[in-house]
Amino acid sequence: MIYLQVKTGSSPQSATFIFGNEDHTLGNALRYILMERPETDFCGYSVPHPYEPKMNVRLQTVNNSVATTVLHRGLIDLELTADALDVAFDNALQRFDLKKST
């Protein structure tokens, strides 16, 4: 199965990215991260059907920003955010365990 397919739009500033085996978990988080980027004009996602293992992300950018580049940066931002959440959760869990044991 293809895990990422790119359907380019009428210009390099727009594209639809089709992610295989993904759903709302990635879709909503990625849409939020991409909408926070200043280069993004529009971003939306859809999951055609729960039994169809794919998620579509439509991305349109402003000025001369290339949609594939903005997606790549957004995925990096999402990874960094997830890493920061993981560290914060682990720290909070350690503090809780220390507090509970004393």
Side-chain angles (χ1 to χ4, degrees):
M1 171 174 212
I2 297 172
Y3 289 99
L4 177 64
Q5 183 180 2
V6 180
K7 292 189 176 183
T8 55
S10 58
S11 72
Q13 288 78 31
S14 66
T16 298
F17 303 93
I18 303 168
F19 292 82
N21 291 326
E22 294 297 343
D23 58 14
H24 296 284
T25 305
L26 176 65
N28 195 37
L30 183 58
R31 183 205 57 80
Y32 176 81
I33 293 290
L34 288 170
M35 285 304 298
E36 292 295 307
R37 297 197 60 82
E39 313 97 287
T40 301
D41 183 41
F42 169 82
C43 183
Y45 82 96
S46 65
V47 176
H49 192 276
Y51 291 124
E52 193 173 356
K54 69 178 185 177
M55 174 195 62
N56 304 315
V57 175
R58 177 71 178 162
L59 178 61
Q60 291 176 229
T61 61
V62 295
N63 302 328
N64 291 326
S65 300
V66 178
T68 53
T69 303
V70 174
L71 175 71
H72 185 257
R73 290 178 185 153
L75 288 168
I76 291 170
D77 289 348
L78 182 57
E79 180 181 23
L80 293 172
T81 301
D83 290 345
L85 283 170
D86 189 39
V87 168
F89 179 80
D90 287 343
N91 290 341
L93 185 60
Q94 287 176 356
R95 285 193 309 273
F96 175 79
D97 288 342
L98 283 173
K99 191 181 233 184
K100 187 172 73 170
S101 65
T102 58

